[in-house]
Amino acid sequence: MGARPLLNRRLAGMGTTIFAEMSALAVATGSINLGQGFPDTDGPAEIAQAAADAVLNGRGNQYPPGPGIPELRTAIAEHQQRFYGLGYDADTEVLVTAGATEAIAASLLALLEPGDEVIAFEPFYDSYAACIAMAGAVRVPLTLRQPAFRPDLDELRSLITPRTRLLLLNTPHNPTGTVLTPEELATIAEIAVEHDLLVITDEVYEHLVFATGHHPIAALPGMRGRTVSISSAGKTFSFTGWKVGWVTANSALIAAVRTAKQYLTYVSAGPFQYAVAEALRLPDSYFDTLRANLGRKRDLLADGLSAAGFQVFAPEGTYFITTDITPLGEKDGLEFCRALPERCGVVAIPNIVFYDNSDAGRSLVRFTFCKKDAVLAEAVTRLQQL
Ligand code: PMP
Ligand code: GLN
């Protein structure tokens, strides 16, 4: 095939995702997988039953409507109203996608021109860099630095140029667990309005916030018409394999995102859409219990990691803990994570792969705590051998 690389230059160097690499390593070595974020306990049985019933009763087995089934779009609109007082029209302002991953891809592909600049918090969730690249746009990192991992909003202002088109937010933030405060969001909103920027906000961990509460930027003055809000059923209902996500935004933005989305998957997950419509209407007690259980697991793993000698940065949200391995006499998180399964039978994620400024993330390693208590306890015992 000659000297020309097969993979196009926009994706050059992106290789295999760290999640695929580390989960394969966990399987190959029989290690406890605290790497890729997926629960080891499925979501509510009645929701699983609703999916099974939908398959057996022929609901959603053929192509669902392009924007998603009306039952799910209505449930998403109700959810935004119930939790945040945000009103969206289920027919024109809601779009169902193949997970948040497709929502992110379709939004970036729809809204960016080649050469546009996108400011995003670094460390970036991995698909952001890839999708910005596929759109031919340029990512501009705003680095969240340890120990607090808060955005420097003066620095944000300084990163804006005439080519800046959008801000890509993620709150609660993977992998640091930072949850943006109302004050931070208000300043970001002010900057977006002042510079007439679009905002895409990835809120897949919206229900995994321990004390502070989640605040959607779409609710702030001037933001409703410029914000594309993204979430998904994976984290909230512990069915990461179903890949049901959604976008809420005004009808012009939804029409743009839908245009890209219809050529990515067209539609997906027909029967699961019926089940997620039910899940979104679960009582408050479901969401409270999810949060309380994960809060307890967070403390269990954080204490264990501290006892094992890691520097622990307690997350405000998500089901991830970022640690620094420097106190263990280690420097390089990637090397550390590649060796960890052999050394003690545990898998983790090196945060460095989410950075452009490698130095800011070199010694940081992420562990997930969405696992059974006994599994977390065993992982901690193993890590204490280090
Ligand atoms: N955004 C963030 C920040 C994530 O951590 C993930 C992984 N769950 C996704 C998006 C992708 O979500 P989904 O599995 O619904 O595609
Ligand atoms: N969001 C999950 C994580 O951060 C992984 C999803 C994926 O494998 N793409 O662990």
Side-chain angles (χ1 to χ4, degrees), residues 34-322:
L34 303 189
Q36 193 176 29
F38 61 90
D40 60 358
T41 311
D42 285 344
E46 70 267 33
I47 302 303
Q49 187 64 51
D53 290 347
V55 170
L56 294 174
N57 296 332
R59 299 174 87 203
N61 290 331
Q62 309 305 330
Y63 298 129
I69 61 166
E71 290 86 340
L72 178 53
R73 282 185 278 112
T74 302
I76 292 165
E78 283 172 14
H79 170 277
Q80 296 306 87
Q81 184 62 248
R82 168 181 166 194
F83 287 97
Y84 311 120
L86 280 164
Y88 286 99
D89 181 89
D91 289 329
T92 59
E93 297 185 313
V94 179
L95 176 67
V96 176
T97 56
T101 305
E102 190 196 29
I104 293 160
S107 302
L108 291 168
L109 290 169
L111 299 173
L112 292 172
E113 289 290 347
D116 281 348
E117 292 176 1
V118 177
I119 302 177
F121 299 139
E122 172 184 74
F124 312 101
Y125 179 61
D126 69 344
S127 82
Y128 300 170
C131 291
I132 292 168
M134 286 192 272
V138 179
R139 64 178 184 270
V140 177
L142 175 63
T143 308
L144 306 180
R145 295 183 189 278
Q146 66 183 83
F149 296 109
R150 306 237 61 97
D152 177 338
L153 298 178
D154 293 325
E155 189 183 343
L156 172 58
R157 281 185 196 280
S158 76
L159 293 175
I160 291 169
T161 76
R163 289 176 304 283
T164 308
R165 174 65 168 161
L166 71 82
L167 306 178
L168 175 50
L169 306 182
N170 173 211
T171 183
H173 181 258
N174 176 9
T176 64
T178 294
V179 177
L180 295 179
T181 63
E183 295 73 27
E184 285 166 339
L185 288 164
T187 306
I188 294 169
E190 228 175 78
I191 294 171
V193 171
E194 185 185 328
H195 296 275
D196 197 21
L197 304 176
L198 295 171
V199 172
I200 298 178
T201 176
D202 174 349
E203 304 183 355
V204 297
Y205 299 99
E206 62 187 314
H207 288 290
L208 308 188
V209 179
F210 304 113
T212 49
H214 169 71
H215 307 280
I217 196 165
L220 296 183
M223 296 309 291
R224 177 69 167 73
R226 64 177 73 248
T227 303
V228 173
S229 302
I230 293 174
S231 194
S232 132
K235 316 293 161 178
T236 300
F237 302 112
S238 299
F239 288 115
T240 60
W242 289 9
K243 297 296 286 190
V244 177
W246 52 86
V247 180
T248 48
N250 75 10
S251 59
L253 287 166
I254 286 289
V257 176
R258 191 176 56 227
T259 303
K261 182 262 179 320
Q262 65 190 344
Y263 300 114
L264 293 173
T265 56
Y266 182 51
V267 292
S268 60
F272 295 128
Q273 292 192 27
Y274 288 92
V276 172
E278 285 192 28
L280 285 165
R281 296 188 174 119
L282 286 168
D284 289 353
S285 58
Y286 169 77
F287 298 89
D288 295 342
T289 306
L290 174 81
R291 193 170 42 243
N293 279 335
L294 278 167
R296 199 174 37 71
K297 290 177 188 294
R298 174 194 63 165
D299 296 344
L300 211 149
L301 184 62
D303 292 348
L305 289 168
S306 294
F310 293 81
Q311 181 181 2
V312 171
F313 305 103
E316 297 165 320
T318 76
Y319 44 47
F320 304 112
I321 293 181
T322 285

